Amino acid sequence: MYYQKLDEFQKNFLWGAASAAYQIEGAYQEDGKGLSIWDEYAHQPGNTFKGTTGDVAIDHYHRVEEDVALMAKMGLKAYRFSVAWSRVIPDGEGDVNEAGLAFYRKLITLLKQNQIEPVLTIYHWDLPLALQKKYNGWGSREIIPAFEKYCRTLFSAFKDDVKYWVTFNEQNVFTSMGYRWAQHPPKVTDIKRMYAANHIINLANATAINLFHELVPNGQIGPSFGYGPVYPLTGDPNDVLAAVNANDFNNNWWLDVYCRGEYPYFMLKQLQKAGIAPEITADDQVLLKSAKPDFLGINYYHGGTVQTNRLQKPVKEAEQKDFSATDPYLMQPKADQAQSPEVPMFNSVSNPYLDKTAWGWEIDPVGFRVALRQVYEKYRLPLFVTENGLGAVDELVDGKVDDQYRIDYLAQHVKTMKEAITDGVEMIGYCAWSFSDILSWLNGYKKRYGFVYVNRDDDSQKDLKRIPKASYYWYQQLIAQNGAQI
Ligand code: BGP
């Protein structure tokens, strides 16, 4: 750190925490809710850790008052949550389910009564199952009008109460996990289909942003992207080139479209040469150019390190399996996907300078500053950190959870964020992942992120009691002093 003194966080900085509907709500068939692709996927044996599902999750649907009361007591300034599309429009495109809308209206009202800014994510992966069956989900352009209708419903209902909106959560993660690694629904391993679906989602994103600007002129909207900076393993220019390539494949491919309305030409050329590029019409190009996000949501967990492909083959099978199974942010091609243009261009490797979490995710607070700097400098949009946190096994001992390791992790990241602000990065807020313990998509209830412990595990929902952890009181202090102590 080269500053004598860091700039303070702005007065209205949004200290927040985040969640997603499928991971917390439960009540998966209540009050008219339709099924989502995750409801189906999690019920199929072998797809999730110990067969865990979101049927009950942490029962937030029935405990929303208690949960918001805990947020208020903590002094939270913002709460990021997602809406379950199939709760609001059960079949994805037909009649609106008023009871579903009413649940989110209640949540938003409670938040506002407690001066907590709602941050609404429109799509956090739980596509209505009916749309998957009818249109092949994001595989067909026919889904776009359905998404537009869903957005219109939410914009009309909440335009006066919700200022910050997120279109898609981690498009890079859910497209690659769903269409490439077959770890999420629709469980496909086809790179061409991944790029095709991804393009359709880009069109849906642009459509939503344009509609929003028409209907909610005083609000702000943007996508949340899972960003990780890419490092070369060494100063060998071949490794540096590998990092440039990986940055295009892992980051620019999405961010350039969001922020500049066009695909990066180097990578588009590689995909065209490999015969896996999406079909992009002239109308598509006009649409993508027309939609401008107001901010960019950044989810930061870690970056990645790459080297040139010295052996002309991917890194050893065991290591790759480990990467793709536990870490959606590493897009290292597997041996069976050797037709991918990435294979000769870069290989993901471990960074020798970084420690890892119990799940093998690198802990890299400096990378957070690198990320914020890179993205802000390139796109000049205000940044909103919509996720950052540590997944760990927490132990309840004598009714308490002493998660000092989480406090250390968060304190380091908040500090580097403050450094990035001092560097000149414009930031709206920071939402830690997650407010309470919740269902991890593929790691059940074992991998915990919350400030609030939820007394349940993979085998039993127990009493679902909420117990604030040590990190809860630490964050409460941090918010009270607006980060001045960091
Ligand atoms: C992000 C998702 C979140 C959350 C988080 C932690 O990719 O947006 O929904 O799940 O990662 O991931 P995990 O639970 O796999 O550790």
Side-chain angles (χ1 to χ4, degrees), residues 21-193:
Y22 182 72
Q23 299 179 272
I24 59 167
E25 286 179 3
Y28 83 118
Q29 285 183 305
E30 247 174 272
D31 294 337
K33 179 182 169 294
L35 294 179
S36 79
I37 53 173
W38 269 94
D39 291 321
E40 181 188 62
Y41 184 75
H43 277 264
Q44 292 162 348
N47 282 343
T48 61
F49 181 71
K50 290 191 174 180
T52 41
T53 72
D55 294 3
V56 175
I58 60 152
D59 198 31
H60 172 70
Y61 190 78
H62 297 116
R63 295 165 194 245
V64 57
E65 283 91 354
E66 182 189 355
D67 287 341
V68 176
L70 278 167
M71 293 175 202
K73 197 172 155 213
M74 192 193 211
L76 223 55
K77 305 272 188 217
Y79 174 56
R80 173 180 178 233
F81 62 94
S82 80
V83 171
W85 185 346
S86 66
R87 205 179 277 293
V88 171
I89 305 179
D91 69 358
E93 60 179 352
D95 291 343
V96 170
N97 174 30
E98 288 303 329
L101 266 188
F103 170 71
Y104 296 106
R105 191 167 292 117
K106 176 160 93 178
L107 168 63
I108 291 165
T109 306
L110 285 167
L111 292 171
K112 299 212 52 141
Q113 281 167 355
N114 288 288
Q115 291 78 49
I116 301 169
E117 188 78 50
V119 180
L120 189 159
T121 305
I122 298 170
Y123 186 84
H124 201 128
W125 306 355
D126 47 354
L127 183 74
L129 183 60
L131 295 178
Q132 185 65 42
K133 294 206 189 299
K134 188 168 175 192
Y135 298 129
N136 204 12
W138 296 111
S140 155
R141 288 170 185 250
E142 286 176 288
I143 198 175
I144 296 173
F147 184 68
E148 189 176 7
K149 175 180 175 176
Y150 167 52
C151 290
R152 187 183 292 277
T153 306
L154 295 183
F155 297 158
S156 312
F158 303 128
K159 64 176 184 315
D160 297 328
D161 296 309
V162 179
K163 179 172 176 195
Y164 295 101
W165 298 69
V166 171
T167 50
F168 285 92
N169 179 70
E170 294 190 350
Q171 186 179 330
N172 52 331
V173 171
F174 81 82
T175 51
S176 50
M177 294 295 268
Y179 287 87
R180 185 170 191 177
W181 308 129
Q183 304 257 344
H184 284 189
K187 214 179 176 183
V188 169
T189 45
D190 185 328
I191 306 174
K192 189 169 179 175
R193 280 181 65 185

Side-chain angles (χ1 to χ4, degrees), residues 23 124 169-170 301 329 387 433 440-441 443 447 449:
Q23 299 179 272
H124 201 128
N169 179 70
E170 294 190 350
Y301 291 90
Y329 298 101
E387 283 181 35
W433 185 265
S440 167
W441 304 95
N443 304 287
K447 190 179 189 187
Y449 281 89

